[in-house]
Amino acid sequence: MSSYRLENTWSPEPAPFGTLKVTLWNLSETPLSDFRLAYTSLTRAMKPFTVSGAELELRDANYHRYAPPTDLVVAPGESWSFEVTNLNRDPRHITDGAKSAILTLDPAGAKTHVEVEVSDLYPEGRKLVEPGPLLPEGKLTEPYAILPWPAALKLEAGETPLALCPAPGASREALAAFSQVEALHRRLYPEARTVLSMVPMPGTRAVAIEMGGDFAEGAYAVEIAEVITLKAADDDGIRHGLIVLAQMLHGATVDAASFRFPASGTITDAPRYGWRGSHLDVSRQFWDAADVTRFLDILAWHRMNIFHWHLTDDEGWRMEVKAYPQLTEAGATRGPDALLTPQLGNGVEEVRGHYTQDQIRDVVAHAGALGITVVPEVDIPGHCTAALAVIPELADPQEAPESYHSVQGFANNALNPAREETYDFLAKVFDEMVELFPAKYLHIGGDEVADGSWLNSHYARLLMEKEGLSGTFELQSYFMRRVAGMLAERGRVLAGWNEVAHGGGVDPEGTLLMAWEKPEVGIELAREGYDVVMTPGQAYYLDMAQAEEWLEPGAAWAGTSTPVHSYTYEAEGEFPEELRPRLKGIQACIWCEHFTSRAYFNRLVFPRLCGVAEAAWTPKERKDLHRYAAIVKLHPAF
């Protein structure tokens, strides 16, 4: 237990964003003097820094380090407070304050770092209301635990079998499919009994697998009689059908009061969208390879087929690149004395983490066996603080610091599009990526480059004059077109966030863009000829708070995204009929700033991820919020 504690409160005055009050309590037995206090927070102090009772020595993105008044001594059991009044925004939730804090003793000498306990953020003088239920009470009209719900089914409930087993004479491929799905079930529910058994016993029911027929990609049909027959034209369809059978039997065994297994009937099913994805940000908070494979298992259980792996950002470069080992040495390490300062949730101990190329191959193979395509992302040209810290020549050293533009508090975090060193670097990175990731698409980010970036760069001014470019976004478009060409040379197609279209964008033919800022952006991109995946923050960003109340954790820039909204939102929205072929699917996005623990991850990601899965698979007219609320209670936790 720490001998020091940080409490933080917020007052709405003065406008527009109020005052953050920070109090450090000395719970040790000795007086506290000659120290520095640092904390990490998404509610940032902004220039010109306005602090009373302390001096802000350094603010690097979300990291703030303060010096106390000269000769301050905090006696045991006493506290020291200061106030910050020029904030980047008004806090709205309990998690908008400090996420970690570090006390540095004897900063000019031995420099000892001590962990500080941190409280939630509370508003002063406001009565706080507990959030209500996030979903309505579940109600079943058909007692089958299937999620996502099938396109069509007509079933009669029956007795719950002991297990399902392959029919006599099953092929090696059928036996392997059985084993694979039961292994998936066992990994997700290690405490549950087997639902798919290789050995027929009294009380089991046989499943015959027939490959072939006129089925769409991933589609399947189940006929339930004395012998259950599963039909599909591809491995994905067989897997989907077996997962549905496993889900029904699992539900009937763990909650017999609510769910049954069918005695007879049919299921005819096919996915609504070809792109049924989830993104995971492993830069802000690193998730080891075992966690990533478990996340893939959860996606497969919900018949999702795209894993968008966000491998690089300002906070860390997480993919081994043999040509640049420094990217995953210094560029993936944060700490009080490291090259990169602590960020959200980071404390005294250095935090580091990256994936070796062998680990990446293992993750890609695991995903492939589950019918999931891994789409890797290196976020360029912006969000590159970690890369620029170790390879500074990718920026313009002549740019004056006062000309830097900030995104999420990170200054001058964009690769310079006018330096050939940038393209030499990317060529080596892409060469290694295409060997690791067989996916058609390589995601290059392209988001959140601050307007005004590069305009004070000598190299950029020369390029603008040579190419007839005007402003940041035409420079970015030039960069993106070169990157698209580099990917094409390597047999890959560019995917990116919706800002890739800025400044003239890239050739829409074959390019896939993700509309995240708001739903209307997706329609605009489709009109411009881009293929689109809809992932609007207002519905599918799973780091958003699930309720408006202060006591509900999460982010708030896109408002509140309740589980009901995530489930009921229709991505097609106002898409004109002629543009709907451009809509390739939908995707959840999981940005991990707030996820400093697995418990927070589970609280915010579920049940909303399951709702996005059903929205991606189930036809609009077959969705049912009350049925979903009853079934989603069975979801596996991360």
Side-chain angles (χ1 to χ4, degrees):
M1 185 178 75
S2 176
S3 296
Y4 306 95
R5 184 172 184 83
L6 183 149
E7 300 276 345
N8 49 168
T9 59
W10 176 77
S11 169
E13 299 296 332
F17 300 136
T19 300
L20 183 69
K21 182 177 180 180
V22 178
T23 301
L24 176 68
W25 288 87
N26 179 9
L27 306 178
S28 75
E29 298 177 349
T30 58
L32 176 63
S33 62
D34 189 21
F35 65 90
R36 297 293 185 270
L37 174 67
Y39 64 76
T40 65
S41 173
L42 280 168
T43 300
R44 297 187 289 271
M46 302 298 289
K47 291 182 178 180
F49 299 130
T50 308
V51 183
S52 60
E55 177 189 354
L56 180 53
E57 289 186 332
L58 173 67
R59 202 273 281 159
D60 179 31
N62 307 298
Y63 176 77
H64 304 69
R65 189 179 71 224
Y66 295 89
T70 304
D71 300 327
L72 175 77
V73 177
V74 184
E78 299 294 325
S79 64
W80 161 62
S81 299
F82 60 90
E83 295 183 345
V84 184
T85 54
N86 190 21
L87 305 176
N88 65 320
R89 60 176 187 165
D90 56 321
R92 299 179 187 178
H93 293 282
I94 197 169
T95 47
D96 281 340
K99 292 189 179 296
S100 59
I102 302 167
L103 190 66
T104 301
L105 307 176
D106 190 17
K111 194 188 284 188
T112 302
H113 302 298
V114 180
E115 205 78 46
V116 178
E117 295 287 342
V118 175
S119 72
D120 290 327
L121 178 67
Y122 289 104
E124 296 179 356
R126 183 189 300 182
K127 184 178 180 180
L128 300 180
V129 179
E130 293 288 343
L134 296 176
L135 279 173
E137 280 295 319
K139 182 179 179 182
L140 292 169
T141 56
E142 298 176 87
Y144 308 112
I146 308 174
L147 203 163
W149 196 252
L153 87 174
K154 186 175 182 181
L155 301 174
E156 294 292 331
E159 297 298 318
T160 299
L162 174 68
L164 304 178
C165 62
S171 67
R172 184 196 65 81
E173 291 79 8
L175 295 173
F178 251 78
S179 178
Q180 181 197 52
V181 173
E182 176 50 35
L184 172 65
H185 173 256
R186 178 55 55 89
R187 293 194 299 270
L188 293 175
Y189 301 101
E191 77 290 356
R193 81 181 199 211
T194 295
V195 293
L196 302 182
S197 171
M198 305 297 284
V199 179
M201 294 176 288
T204 61
R205 292 185 66 179
V207 179
I209 293 177
E210 298 181 6
M211 181 76 80
D214 185 18
F215 289 92
E217 185 175 339
Y220 67 93
V222 175
E223 298 174 6
I224 299 177
E226 184 175 345
V227 172
I228 299 169
T229 302
L230 167 60
K231 301 178 181 179
D234 56 22
D235 291 339
D236 287 345
I238 297 298
R239 186 186 312 103
H240 294 156
L242 285 172
I243 287 172
V244 165
L245 291 170
Q247 285 182 336
M248 286 194 292
L249 186 48
H250 174 80
T253 58
V254 301
D255 186 359
S258 301
F259 301 106
R260 305 281 295 280
F261 192 83
S264 62
T266 60
I267 302 173
T268 305
D269 200 10
R272 180 179 183 183
Y273 294 117
W275 188 290
R276 307 179 302 282
S278 182
H279 152 288
L280 181 65
D281 161 27
V282 297
S283 176
R284 274 59 178 263
Q285 310 291 346
F286 181 70
W287 303 90
D288 65 28
D291 287 331
V292 174
T293 54
R294 179 167 180 84
F295 185 69
L296 290 168
D297 286 345
I298 293 171
L299 297 185
W301 188 248
H302 292 91
R303 307 201 291 284
M304 301 178 86
N305 68 339
I306 301 291
F307 174 51
H308 175 176
W309 203 0
H310 187 85
L311 289 161
T312 74
D313 214 298
D314 293 303
E315 286 82 354
W317 185 287
R318 306 300 183 187
M319 173 184 64
E320 180 187 20
V321 179
K322 293 186 182 297
Y324 298 100
Q326 65 269 44
L327 286 171
T328 47
E329 293 169 0
T333 302
R334 289 191 171 275
D337 300 315
L339 177 64
L340 298 174
T341 58
Q343 291 299 321
L344 296 172
N346 302 158
V348 169
E349 297 297 324
E350 283 191 347
V351 291
R352 65 188 68 202
H354 74 276
Y355 308 101
T356 67
Q357 293 197 356
D358 283 342
Q359 287 175 318
I360 290 172
R361 290 187 185 95
D362 288 344
V363 169
V364 171
H366 186 85
L370 296 171
I372 297 171
T373 298
V374 179
V375 176
E377 179 183 356
V378 287
D379 202 347
I380 55 175
H383 288 289
C384 282
T385 296
L388 288 167
V390 296
I391 313 177
E393 57 268 28
L394 304 180
D396 185 347
Q398 299 179 49
E399 273 194 279
E402 59 269 17
S403 72
Y404 291 172
H405 290 76
S406 174
V407 173
Q408 296 179 4
F410 292 95
N412 201 36
N413 67 340
L415 307 180
N416 194 302
R419 301 205 70 177
E420 284 305 309
E421 293 92 335
T422 293
Y423 303 101
D424 294 340
F425 164 73
L426 292 175
K428 293 175 182 175
V429 171
F430 293 156
D431 282 343
E432 296 191 28
M433 289 184 74
V434 298
E435 293 300 318
L436 295 170
F437 299 99
K440 170 184 176 182
Y441 292 105
L442 197 156
H443 200 293
I444 50 72
D447 62 315
E448 295 186 318
V449 172
D451 193 2
S453 296
W454 309 310
L455 300 187
N456 289 294
S457 162
H458 171 70
Y459 297 96
R461 288 197 298 269
L462 290 177
L463 178 63
M464 292 166 71
E465 182 178 347
K466 177 184 175 183
E467 298 290 335
L469 305 174
S470 174
T472 295
F473 299 122
E474 289 192 14
L475 278 167
Q476 177 174 301
S477 179
Y478 168 87
F479 170 86
M480 289 296 172
R481 290 194 297 270
R482 284 195 62 172
V483 167
M486 295 170 70
L487 296 180
E489 291 170 2
R490 292 162 175 79
R492 298 295 187 271
V493 176
L494 184 150
W497 303 108
N498 53 244
E499 294 98 319
V500 168
H502 286 179
V506 299
D507 183 357
E509 185 61 36
T511 301
L512 182 75
L513 298 186
M514 296 181 176
W516 68 272
E517 290 181 286
K518 54 185 178 180
E520 296 83 357
V521 169
I523 299 171
E524 295 167 9
L525 293 173
R527 283 201 179 101
E528 293 173 22
Y530 292 102
D531 287 341
V532 177
V533 170
M534 291 292 283
T535 180
Q538 295 77 7
Y540 293 159
Y541 269 41
L542 305 188
D543 58 320
M544 293 296 116
Q546 300 181 88
E548 294 182 359
E549 286 80 6
W550 184 278
L551 295 176
E552 186 68 25
W557 68 262
T560 299
S561 180
T562 68
V564 171
H565 182 57
S566 293
Y567 179 79
T568 58
Y569 173 73
E570 277 296 308
E572 292 181 6
E574 301 301 319
F575 261 76
E577 193 68 35
E578 68 273 13
L579 295 180
R580 290 191 180 178
R582 292 286 180 193
L583 177 57
K584 299 305 177 184
I586 66 174
Q587 177 172 294
C589 281
I590 302 174
W591 300 99
C592 287
E593 287 98 329
H594 285 281
F595 299 144
T596 53
S597 71
R598 185 169 298 200
Y600 263 143
F601 183 98
N602 280 328
R603 177 167 176 171
L604 271 76
V605 170
F606 301 106
R608 291 185 293 183
L609 180 63
C610 312
V612 177
E614 184 148 306
W617 182 281
T618 306
K620 176 182 177 181
E621 63 275 11
R622 296 287 287 161
K623 291 165 66 176
D624 181 322
L625 176 63
H626 293 277
R627 179 196 65 224
Y628 163 75
I631 298 172
V632 78
K633 299 170 185 177
L634 299 175
H635 74 76
F638 188 83

